[in-house]
Amino acid sequence: MNAKTTAHRSPSFTHSVSLVAEREITTRLRSKSFLITTGILLLLVLGGVIAGGIMSKSVSTTPVAVVSSLSSELTNIGGLEITEVENRAEAEALVSEGTVDAAVVPSAEGSTIPVTVIAESEAPSSLMQGLSVSPELVLLDPSDTSFLLSYLAAFGFGIIFFASGMTFGPMIAQSVVEEKQTRIVEILMSAVPVSALMAGKVIGNSLLAFAQIIAIAVLAIVGLSVTGQAELLALLGAPLLWFVGFFIIGFILLAALFAAVGAMVSRQEDLGTTMTPVTMLIMLPYFAIIFLHDNPVALAVMSYVPFSAPVGMPMRLFLGTAVWWEPLISLALLAITAALAILLGARIYNNSLLKVGSRVSWAQAIKG
């Protein structure tokens, strides 16, 4: 008999990684807690989109001031509560007082555009779209950029990254500890390399997280389109795509660290203490973005810090305060940090996986 046909062949590294990743994916898909968490997250997104649609249509009329000579320009626009004034100064005063949302006045002498719209921080879209000519827009307080809208965007980006990290990260760590407790890891290591075991865990859980974030993005886009929130969709379009890219790399970074800290303990009871540093890397940026979303300097700094960049940079893109090259540099910094985290996590994982008993210290895990 040919010796080649009887010899046992170990699976290749790539095949080993795919086997472990497949095992992680099937295990998670059978978990009721994972399915329930995903369902709740999708329902929250859908509820937010529907609530936004209802709120955007809840105002029946928009109060607008117009100089008498231009009142005919507004006759065919529905949903406006018109107040006629004598001159531009009177119209501007009503906008400043908050009596009206916008004012339509004649443009300055010499302007090629006959009509000017004056508003406090943003002009009503129904008014801008309904005018027969594209008007010049004057904002009295352009720095006041919809505080509520920016807060909701910061909260939305932040809660998605926070929820995904706090759902999948501890799952990865708990899976590693469970395999150490039951000694299954020794069986797995006899079949696949240790590095393939960690890579499979990171890739399997990352694929599930990616599928979850893409489902959320698709649901948000479809929901905004169906509920007639095209203006908000246009604002969120590019930042949402960038958020997906940042999320993918940022999650891989966190997944590698959670796998590493899981290998440092042998009991589930010790896992909480070991996971705390990594958990703080998720929580602190989340709360910082929420509380400092209206601080341009703090937001600019956080958009380059790897652990807050997945939320900070999409927020700046949404607010229009980042130029085209900034997200590219931020993404490159995040990718470099993720690569370093993978190398560090692999070292800790390899040095700690077979050590049982007391918790392995960070110094021991790194030095070996």
Side-chain angles (χ1 to χ4, degrees):
M1 183 178 293
N2 192 334
K4 291 183 179 180
T5 60
T6 58
H8 172 71
R9 286 189 177 184
S10 299
S12 65
F13 180 82
T14 303
H15 185 50
S16 299
V17 171
S18 65
L19 288 174
V20 177
E22 182 181 354
R23 176 175 176 269
E24 289 292 316
I25 291 172
T26 54
T27 301
R28 296 289 172 263
L29 292 178
R30 291 172 185 164
S31 169
K32 290 183 179 179
S33 60
F34 167 72
L35 296 176
I36 291 172
T37 302
T38 301
I40 291 174
L41 195 56
L42 292 174
L43 286 175
L44 286 174
V45 172
L46 182 61
V49 171
I50 294 173
I54 294 172
M55 289 173 63
S56 65
K57 296 175 182 178
S58 60
V59 180
S60 57
T61 58
T62 301
V64 174
V66 59
V67 173
S68 302
S69 60
L70 295 177
S71 58
S72 60
E73 291 283 346
L74 307 185
T75 54
N76 296 324
I77 304 176
L80 299 182
E81 182 184 338
I82 299 173
T83 301
E84 290 193 15
V85 295
E86 294 299 323
N87 51 53
R88 177 172 181 150
E90 190 177 341
E92 193 170 310
L94 291 177
V95 174
S96 299
E97 294 168 3
T99 306
V100 296
D101 291 346
V104 180
V105 300
S107 296
E109 190 174 334
S111 175
T112 57
I113 302 173
V115 177
T116 295
V117 171
I118 301 174
E120 186 70 20
S121 59
E122 56 183 339
S125 58
S126 58
L127 174 63
M128 298 293 288
Q129 295 169 6
L131 288 169
S132 58
V133 293
S134 298
E136 180 183 354
L137 177 61
V138 175
L139 298 180
L140 300 179
D141 188 8
S143 62
D144 183 18
T145 54
S146 186
F147 178 86
L148 179 60
L149 191 59
S150 65
Y151 176 81
L152 290 176
F155 181 80
F157 286 135
I159 196 66
I160 291 172
F161 189 76
F162 176 79
S164 296
M166 294 304 294
T167 297
F168 288 98
M171 279 186 179
I172 296 172
Q174 289 166 7
S175 172
V176 175
V177 177
E178 184 180 344
E179 290 172 356
K180 287 186 68 172
Q181 275 187 315
T182 57
R183 313 303 287 267
I184 292 177
V185 68
E186 297 175 13
I187 300 174
L188 294 173
M189 288 177 63
S190 65
V192 298
V194 177
S195 54
L197 192 58
M198 176 182 168
K201 284 185 176 295
V202 171
I203 291 173
N205 285 278
S206 296
L207 287 174
L208 284 174
F210 303 161
Q212 190 180 77
I213 196 68
I214 290 172
I216 289 172
V218 171
L219 182 62
I221 292 171
V222 173
L224 289 171
S225 301
V226 171
T227 55
Q229 301 180 74
E231 189 175 340
L232 181 57
L233 179 59
L235 290 173
L236 278 174
L240 194 58
L241 293 177
W242 275 106
F243 175 69
V244 172
F246 274 92
F247 177 90
I248 290 173
I249 299 177
F251 184 85
I252 291 175
L253 186 159
L254 294 175
L257 295 179
F258 272 110
V261 298
M264 292 170 62
V265 298
S266 302
R267 302 184 308 161
Q268 296 285 353
E269 294 83 357
D270 299 329
L271 186 57
T273 303
T274 310
M275 282 198 309
T276 298
V278 184
T279 303
M280 296 302 291
L281 293 176
I282 301 174
M283 294 182 66
L284 290 179
Y286 166 71
F287 287 111
I289 293 290
I290 294 297
F291 292 123
L292 300 174
H293 69 94
D294 58 340
N295 186 320
V297 176
L299 198 58
V301 172
M302 288 188 289
S303 67
Y304 286 100
V305 177
F307 296 98
S308 57
V311 179
M313 187 55 75
M315 264 301 300
R316 291 187 63 209
L317 291 168
F318 174 76
L319 296 173
T321 58
V323 295
W324 66 269
W325 52 265
E326 289 190 86
L328 297 176
I329 294 178
S330 179
L331 195 63
L333 291 174
L334 179 60
I336 293 170
T337 306
L340 294 175
I342 291 171
L343 293 176
L344 175 64
R347 183 176 181 84
I348 294 173
Y349 192 84
N350 289 334
N351 291 339
S352 307
L353 194 58
L354 287 179
K355 293 182 179 180
V356 295
S358 60
R359 180 171 64 89
V360 180
S361 67
W362 283 94
Q364 292 173 328
I366 294 172
K367 292 179 180 179

